[in-house]
């Protein structure tokens, strides 16, 4: 048995995929707020750890859409960033590409409202935010979260 107390972590923050994703989306929203023209040049990247393996999460492209609506017109947004990501396993040298649609203003600023992932040539997944599917279960308090915000 090894004592790991007082040892620095092998990798800095962020430690996981969702934290890395949240930080990158926050950087994209902040870049747009500073200068909407700089949005397309914004390509942040971070290293995170999953199952003791380092991964590189990077933005490969950002496009701005003046308007967007989710499937079946459930939600409509103005000013949305379409963010292309690549997640690279630095040990196995494999990659996964996916795309997020993220509002740049409004109540859902910085929150993904559409995700597209094609893990195999024959399988393409599209997830759209459906406000009708969210509900608070009995005995639970409603919660809200904002990507890229400080929880404190």
């Amino acid at each position: 048995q090894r004592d790991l107390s007082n040892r620095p972590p092998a990798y800095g923050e962020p430690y996981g995929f969702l934290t890395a994703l949240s930080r990158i989306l926050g950087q994209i929203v902040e870049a747009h707020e500073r200068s909407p023209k700089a949005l397309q040049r914004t390509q942040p990247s971070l290293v995170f750890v999953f199952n003791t393996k380092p991964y590189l999460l990077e933005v490969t492209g950002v496009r701005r859409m003046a308007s967007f609506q989710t499937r079946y017109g459930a939600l409509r947004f103005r000013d949305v960033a379409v963010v292309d990501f690549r997640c690279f396993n630095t040990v196995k040298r494999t990659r996964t590409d996916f795309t997020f649609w993220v509002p740049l203003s409004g109540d859902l600023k910085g929150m993904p409202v559409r995700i597209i992932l094609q893990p195999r040539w024959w399988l393409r997944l599209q997830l759209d935010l459906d406000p009708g599917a969210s509900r608070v279960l009995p005995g639970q308090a409603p919660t809200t979260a904002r990507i890229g915000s400080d929880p404190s």
Side-chain angles (χ1 to χ4, degrees), residues 136-147:
V136 177
L137 298 175
Q140 286 186 329
T143 59
T144 58
R146 170 108 28 223
I147 287 187

Side-chain angles (χ1 to χ4, degrees), residues 4 21 29 35 44-45 50 53 56 60 92-93 106 113-114 145 151:
L4 298 177
L21 191 59
V29 169
S35 170
S45 64
F50 174 73
K53 293 173 186 62
L56 174 64
T60 58
K92 292 183 177 180
R93 314 230 21 106
V113 294
R114 172 176 283 168

Side-chain angles (χ1 to χ4, degrees), residues 2-10:
R2 293 180 4 176
D3 180 22
L4 298 177
S5 60
N6 296 323
R7 295 200 53 169

Side-chain angles (χ1 to χ4, degrees), residues 33-107:
E33 289 173 344
R34 282 192 309 270
S35 170
K37 292 182 179 181
L39 183 65
Q40 293 178 334
R41 295 188 308 271
T42 305
Q43 295 190 323
S45 64
L46 289 171
V47 174
F48 69 94
V49 178
F50 174 73
N51 200 21
T52 70
K53 293 173 186 62
Y55 288 76
L56 174 64
L57 180 63
E58 60 185 344
V59 172
T60 58
V62 180
R63 303 175 300 288
R64 184 180 164 274
M65 295 179 67
S67 64
F68 169 76
Q69 72 180 39
T70 57
R71 187 180 300 180
Y72 311 119
L75 295 171
R76 295 170 196 255
F77 299 95
R78 290 182 38 229
D79 213 14
V80 172
V82 181
V83 186
D84 297 317
F85 286 95
R86 173 164 294 149
C87 186
F88 183 71
N89 181 327
T90 61
V91 175
K92 292 183 177 180
R93 314 230 21 106
T94 57
R95 73 177 206 206
T96 302
D97 296 334
F98 56 96
T99 304
F100 274 28
W101 277 251
V102 181
L104 296 168
S105 60
D107 292 341

